[in-house]
């Protein structure tokens, strides 16, 4: 079963720090903000998602990345990340529904989490199925670590 491994927020920038839970609203996760609102945030980029399984694979390659380091709001465990594509809807916890809108472009601010600064390692174009994704919020509500995650299509 897929679950929310970690909920992450920051005052802008990376890494995002873990919190027990937060409210997910139309414009993002409560307590979170973005330093660069040109490339991050807004209704179509309200929530950033990443896979714990991908993070663990990256760590096995020697990259010092941890959950929240890549700027994701929700770190998801146990989900086939290759199925999380633009247009996919996800149910999170008892109430929240998200729709993936796009893959997230790699950012140089993430270079510290990668051997030799190779932040392109999480590029969808170069490494399909290993990118962060952005999502819009279809149904607002609370999320917590441990909440179930289901693909809706």
């Amino acid at each position: 079963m897929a679950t929310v491994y970690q909920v992450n927020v920051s005052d802008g920038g990376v890494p995002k720090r873990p919190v027990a839970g937060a409210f997910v609203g139309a414009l993002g996760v409560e307590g979170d903000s973005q330093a660069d609102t040109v490339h991050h945030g807004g209704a179509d980029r309200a929530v950033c998602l990443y896979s714990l399984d991908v993070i663990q694979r990256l760590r096995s390659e020697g990259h010092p990345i941890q959950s929240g380091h890549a700027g994701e709001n929700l770190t998801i465990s146990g989900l086939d990340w290759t199925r999380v594509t633009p247009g996919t809807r996800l149910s999170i916890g008892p109430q929240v529904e998200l729709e993936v809108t796009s893959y997230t472009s790699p950012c140089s601010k993430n270079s510290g989490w990668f051997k030799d600064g190779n932040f392109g390692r999480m590029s969808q174009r170069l490494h399909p199925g290993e990118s962060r994704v952005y999502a819009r919020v279809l149904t607002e509500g609370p999320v917590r670590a441990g909440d179930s995650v289901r693909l809706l299509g």
Side-chain angles (χ1 to χ4, degrees), residues 46-65:
V47 181
C48 184
L49 308 168
Y50 205 27
S51 167
L52 177 64
D53 306 295
V54 171
I55 291 169
Q56 290 172 334
R57 195 163 37 255
L58 292 169
R59 289 186 55 74
S60 75
E61 295 173 8
H63 303 288
I65 189 169

Side-chain angles (χ1 to χ4, degrees), residues 14 16 39-40 47-51 54-55 58 65 68-74 81 84 86 100 102-110 113-114 119 121-124 127 129-135:
V14 294
K16 292 189 183 289
H39 297 102
H40 308 289
V47 181
C48 184
L49 308 168
Y50 205 27
S51 167
V54 171
I55 291 169
L58 292 169
I65 189 169
H69 279 186
E72 78 274 13
N73 298 115
L74 301 178
W81 208 246
V84 180
V100 176
S102 65
Y103 296 108
T104 306
S105 296
C107 174
S108 63
K109 302 247 187 227
N110 286 298
W113 325 130
F114 292 90
F119 62 93
R121 178 60 186 83
M122 60 181 176
S123 164
Q124 177 63 22
H127 301 277
E130 298 199 352
S131 173
R132 300 165 297 159
V133 296
Y134 278 130

Side-chain angles (χ1 to χ4, degrees):
M1 176 174 83
T3 60
V4 174
Y5 174 76
Q6 195 166 287
V7 179
N8 308 295
V9 299
S10 78
D11 293 331
V14 294
K16 292 189 183 289
R17 69 186 185 289
V19 294
F23 185 83
V24 176
L27 293 178
V29 177
E30 182 180 60
D32 187 55
S33 62
Q34 294 78 35
D36 174 2
T37 56
V38 171
H39 297 102
H40 308 289
D44 284 341
R45 299 176 300 200
V47 181
C48 184
L49 308 168
Y50 205 27
S51 167
L52 177 64
D53 306 295
V54 171
I55 291 169
Q56 290 172 334
R57 195 163 37 255
L58 292 169
R59 289 186 55 74
S60 75
E61 295 173 8
H63 303 288
I65 189 169
Q66 298 283 338
S67 299
H69 279 186
E72 78 274 13
N73 298 115
L74 301 178
T75 311
I76 308 296
S77 175
L79 193 61
D80 178 356
W81 208 246
T82 63
R83 296 181 60 202
V84 180
T85 60
T88 301
R89 291 180 306 120
L90 299 106
S91 170
I92 305 200
Q95 197 170 334
V96 173
E97 189 173 324
L98 304 176
E99 180 182 11
V100 176
T101 55
S102 65
Y103 296 108
T104 306
S105 296
C107 174
S108 63
K109 302 247 187 227
N110 286 298
S111 63
W113 325 130
F114 292 90
K115 290 188 305 186
D116 302 321
N118 182 17
F119 62 93
R121 178 60 186 83
M122 60 181 176
S123 164
Q124 177 63 22
R125 185 176 54 79
L126 299 175
H127 301 277
E130 298 199 352
S131 173
R132 300 165 297 159
V133 296
Y134 278 130
R136 74 171 53 97
V137 178
L138 301 177
T139 305
E140 298 179 337
V143 294
R144 299 187 58 77
D147 278 351
S148 64
V149 178
R150 290 182 300 118
L151 285 177
L152 301 175

